[in-house]
């Protein structure tokens, strides 16, 4: 029997198939368009569902004996549907600016401290409940027709199984879930004017939602006995796929977005967490929680630098048969930091500021500055921002002593060593860059009886590549520059 992890992202979805020994057998991917305007950022959920059907159908053509699929997805985005699950509107993404007034109204009714205590989230318009309120106010006919309100993961689960199930971690991204009681918050929903009965049933991460329906089996080629598993929000799946199960290990997700995910062995101090806009999310292990400290531009900033400035270098890299990233890393021929300061807020500031109006900056340029220096400084800026988040989390009870790194950035030895030096912690890169689908498949394997528990699944599926240890001399050099970096946001923000 094969197991699979379905990872539904903002711009595309991917299904990866594994055998019972945890070997990656292959994957299928489909992207879909996102529409971004000044007034709104939207996605057509019907296109997402068609893409899900397509990737499953592609892989069942090769592996008809897929016995279980775990579903993980990005958060916050929701859709209202009719009784048949047909979308009633185009869905708003978490970056959509709408919902700010509604967030203010909800905060005035309940108080920011109450919302944070219940939901584990500092109030912000990115979360689903604020945008549901906006839609109800501005398109009341849509809300009146709605029979379901789904986030992305439970929308797909419902279409595959006919059962409306959402795991605790994804439900948390709505800002309407009680992380202590592990159920929808009637207090928040009543204040928001949202009918609780429209929402899916919350279940623990990794809970089977049911087998595929006859209609879904016909669309996908899956055997009707295939079990669909309600996994989690994508960052929780990635933490599990990185083999991090206690407070000693945190996860560095080095993807398009840079995300530091510490694990708490008990509920952290919500007052400290909300001060830095850090989410508190129930983890896969009962009683444990994770937090998200992130920058909107991690790998995205590095790619911006390449796309904008490195066209000639990209051509040279092709001639040499290497990646342009490798070429630019090789061209920086010193071990010392660049001394440049890059504020990586090219898509706004995430934690600990949550300031969508912030903008990026590159400081310290001279007529002698080279492209490899700017490239390296972009890497440094992302790492400094993570150090800033690490410091902001210091009073929350974190005690991790090492990091496991996932994502495409984990393949860069230069970046991994830099992060180890700046954070002053050992960091281990994992062989799989796609920890989300690994974590999803691990939880699916446990639910399907392929693995006895997560520890066994991790021992089989989580494979380490290399560990990077901090260099004391370079750490001291970076910290001298970091003291200046800490002042950049406050200096630049009034100007933009």
């Amino acid at each position: 029997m094969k197991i699979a992890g379905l990872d539904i992202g903002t711009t595309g979805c991917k299904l990866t198939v594994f055998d019972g020994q945890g070997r990656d057998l292959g994957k299928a991917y489909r992207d879909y368009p996102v529409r971004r305007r000044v007034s709104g950022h939207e996605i057509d959920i019907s296109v997402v569902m068609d893409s899900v059907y397509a990737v499953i159908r592609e892989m069942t053509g090769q592996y008809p004996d897929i016995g279980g699929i775990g579903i993980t997805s990005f958060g916050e985005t929701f859709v209202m549907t009719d009784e048949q699950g047909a979308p009633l509107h185009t869905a708003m993404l978490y970056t959509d600016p709408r919902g700010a007034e509604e967030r203010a109204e909800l905060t005035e009714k309940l108080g920011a401290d109450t919302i944070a205590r219940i939901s584990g989230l500092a109030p912000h318009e990115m979360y689903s409940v604020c945008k549901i309120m906006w839609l109800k106010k501005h398109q009341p006919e849509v809300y009146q027709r709605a029979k379901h309100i789904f986030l992305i993961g439970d929308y797909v689960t419902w279409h595959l199984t006919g059962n409306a199930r959402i795991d605790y971690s994804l439900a948390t991204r709505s800002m309407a879930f009680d992380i202590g009681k592990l159920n929808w918050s009637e207090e928040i929903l009543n204040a928001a004017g949202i009918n609780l009965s429209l929402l899916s049933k919350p279940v623990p991460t990794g809970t089977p939602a049911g087998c595929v329906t006859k209609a879904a089996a016909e669309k996908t080629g899956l055997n009707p006995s295939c079990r669909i598993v309600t996994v989690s929000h994508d960052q929780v799946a990635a933490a599990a796929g990185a083999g991090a199960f206690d407070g000693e290990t945190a996860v560095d997700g080095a993807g398009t977005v840079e995300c530091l995910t510490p694990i708490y062995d008990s509920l952290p101090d919500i007052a400290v967490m909300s001060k830095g806009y850090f989410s508190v999310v129930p983890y896969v292990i009962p009683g444990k929680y994770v937090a998200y400290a992130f920058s909107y531009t991690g790998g995205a900033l590095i790619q911006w630098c390449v796309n904008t400035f490195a066209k000639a270098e990209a051509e040279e890299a092709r001639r040499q048969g290497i990646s342009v990233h490798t070429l630019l890393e090789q061209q920086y021929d010193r071990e010392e930091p660049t001394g440049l300061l890059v504020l990586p807020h090219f898509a706004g500031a995430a934690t600990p500021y949550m300031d969508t109006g912030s903008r990026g900056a590159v400081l310290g340029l001279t007529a002698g500055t080279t492209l490899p220096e700017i490239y390296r400084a972009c890497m440094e800026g992302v790492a400094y921002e993570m150090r800033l988040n690490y410091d902001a989390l210091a009073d929350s009870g974190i005690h991790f002593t090492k990091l496991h790194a996932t994502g495409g950035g984990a393949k860069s030895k230069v970046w991994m060593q830099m992060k180890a030096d700046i954070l002053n912690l050992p960091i281990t890169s994992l062989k799989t860059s796609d920890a989300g689908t690994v974590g999803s498949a691990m939880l699916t394997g446990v639910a399907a009886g392929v693995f006895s528990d997560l520890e066994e699944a991790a021992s089989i599926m989580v494979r380490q590549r290399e560990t990077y240890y901090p260099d004391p001399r370079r750490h001291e050099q970076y910290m001298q520059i970091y003291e200046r970096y800490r002042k950049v946001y406050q200096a630049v923000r009034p100007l933009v």
Side-chain angles (χ1 to χ4, degrees):
M1 180 180 73
K2 310 298 188 302
I3 54 176
L6 174 64
D7 186 4
I8 306 165
T10 310
T11 58
C13 66
K14 174 167 48 184
L15 184 78
T16 306
V17 179
F18 302 85
D19 64 16
Q21 286 71 50
R23 289 188 289 262
D24 183 336
L25 300 178
K27 63 192 67 176
Y29 176 81
R30 296 289 188 282
D31 57 14
Y32 29 78
V34 170
R35 185 172 61 182
R36 298 185 190 273
R37 309 182 313 279
V38 173
S39 59
H41 302 169
E42 299 176 331
I43 189 168
D44 186 339
I45 298 299
S46 295
V47 175
V48 174
M49 197 66 229
D50 288 342
S51 299
V52 167
Y53 286 138
V55 295
I56 297 175
R57 189 165 54 246
E58 180 177 334
M59 296 315 291
T60 55
Q62 302 174 50
Y63 304 103
D65 59 336
I66 296 174
I69 297 177
I71 298 175
T72 183
S73 75
F74 67 101
E76 297 87 45
T77 298
F78 73 94
V79 64
M80 297 184 189
T81 77
D82 62 17
E83 197 163 0
Q84 285 71 46
L88 300 175
H89 61 97
T90 306
M92 290 180 274
L93 291 170
Y94 63 93
T95 53
D96 193 295
R98 289 170 288 183
E101 290 183 8
E102 290 69 27
R103 182 261 304 152
E105 291 172 12
L106 191 61
T107 302
E108 186 175 350
K109 285 182 181 179
L110 296 178
D113 291 344
T114 297
I115 293 172
R117 174 181 53 80
I118 295 171
S119 69
L121 308 173
H124 195 275
E125 54 268 25
M126 71 183 287
Y127 299 118
S128 319
V129 68
C130 304
K131 299 189 189 309
I132 295 172
M133 291 171 65
W134 185 95
L135 195 69
K136 184 182 179 184
K137 180 190 295 183
H138 293 273
Q139 299 180 34
E141 71 285 356
V142 171
Y143 183 83
Q144 290 166 7
R145 291 175 57 199
K147 298 300 180 184
H148 300 280
I149 299 177
F150 293 114
L151 273 69
I152 302 304
D154 52 317
Y155 173 80
V156 172
T157 298
W158 187 89
H159 275 273
L160 292 177
T161 68
N163 296 320
R165 301 289 185 270
I166 186 169
D167 98 292
Y168 298 156
S169 68
L170 186 59
T172 299
R173 306 309 294 168
S174 68
M175 206 178 83
F177 187 75
D178 190 320
I179 62 169
K181 296 179 180 178
L182 298 178
N183 214 331
W184 295 115
S185 169
E186 293 187 22
E187 185 174 358
I188 292 176
L189 290 171
N190 288 340
I194 298 168
N195 187 346
L196 186 153
S197 67
L198 297 174
L199 299 166
S200 299
K201 179 182 177 181
V203 295
T205 299
T207 299
C211 295
V212 294
T213 63
K214 182 179 179 182
E218 291 174 353
K219 289 182 178 181
T220 61
L222 289 168
N223 190 297
S225 64
C226 178
R227 185 177 298 181
I228 303 300
V229 179
T230 301
V231 178
S232 66
H233 184 227
D234 51 13
Q235 295 295 344
V236 164
F245 300 121
D246 59 44
E248 294 297 318
T249 306
V251 179
D252 171 44
T256 302
V257 170
E258 179 81 11
C259 187
L260 177 66
T261 307
I263 298 168
Y264 295 83
D265 297 320
S266 60
L267 187 66
D269 187 330
I270 298 298
V272 172
M273 303 300 284
S274 60
K275 191 184 302 181
Y277 292 92
F278 299 116
S279 307
V280 180
V281 182
Y283 194 38
V284 296
I285 301 169
K288 295 182 186 291
Y289 295 82
V290 296
Y292 303 148
F294 64 103
S295 171
Y296 290 129
T297 47
L301 177 59
I302 311 306
Q303 198 58 48
W304 167 84
C305 182
V306 168
N307 293 344
T308 306
F309 301 117
K311 293 179 174 59
E313 287 75 11
E315 183 59 37
E316 175 60 27
R318 277 192 290 272
R319 283 195 293 269
Q320 294 187 27
I322 59 176
S323 76
V324 64
H325 302 281
T326 299
L327 178 67
L328 289 169
E329 288 175 0
Q330 291 174 350
Q331 289 179 342
Y332 186 84
D333 56 2
R334 305 192 304 274
E335 291 188 1
E336 290 74 20
T338 64
L340 299 176
L341 296 173
V342 175
L343 186 68
H345 296 177
F346 284 54
T351 58
Y353 308 115
M354 293 307 293
D355 179 3
T356 55
S358 184
R359 295 293 180 264
V362 183
L363 305 178
L365 296 172
T366 72
T369 301
T370 65
L371 174 56
E373 286 180 273
I374 297 173
Y375 180 85
R376 179 79 168 233
C378 287
M379 284 183 165
E380 291 172 349
V382 173
Y384 287 142
E385 191 78 348
M386 283 301 99
R387 175 72 199 209
L388 191 79
N389 277 278
Y390 176 69
D391 290 346
L393 285 165
D395 294 332
S396 69
I398 55 170
H399 60 271
F400 58 88
T401 58
K402 57 184 177 180
L403 289 163
H404 284 181
T406 69
K411 297 176 183 177
S412 169
K413 295 187 176 187
V414 169
W415 210 5
M416 289 296 97
Q417 185 62 56
M418 181 188 299
K419 290 178 179 179
D421 292 339
I422 290 174
L423 290 167
N424 203 29
L425 291 168
I427 181 168
T428 299
S429 63
L430 303 181
K431 287 186 177 179
T432 175
S433 61
D434 195 6
T437 51
V438 170
S440 184
M442 284 165 55
L443 285 154
T444 302
V446 173
V450 175
F451 308 121
S452 59
D453 53 32
L454 272 176
E455 285 71 22
E456 182 189 1
S459 68
I460 294 171
M461 296 189 68
V462 179
R463 300 184 176 96
Q464 299 183 358
R465 179 187 285 117
E466 186 174 354
T467 299
Y468 302 83
Y469 295 93
D471 179 283
R473 182 181 64 85
R474 280 199 300 269
H475 172 68
E476 182 62 31
Q477 291 175 327
Y478 280 122
M479 287 303 95
Q480 291 176 10
I481 299 169
Y482 173 67
E483 287 305 310
R484 291 190 284 123
Y485 176 84
R486 291 172 58 189
K487 303 171 185 176
V488 172
Y489 171 75
Q490 286 79 10
V492 171
R493 186 63 181 95
L495 305 176
V496 296

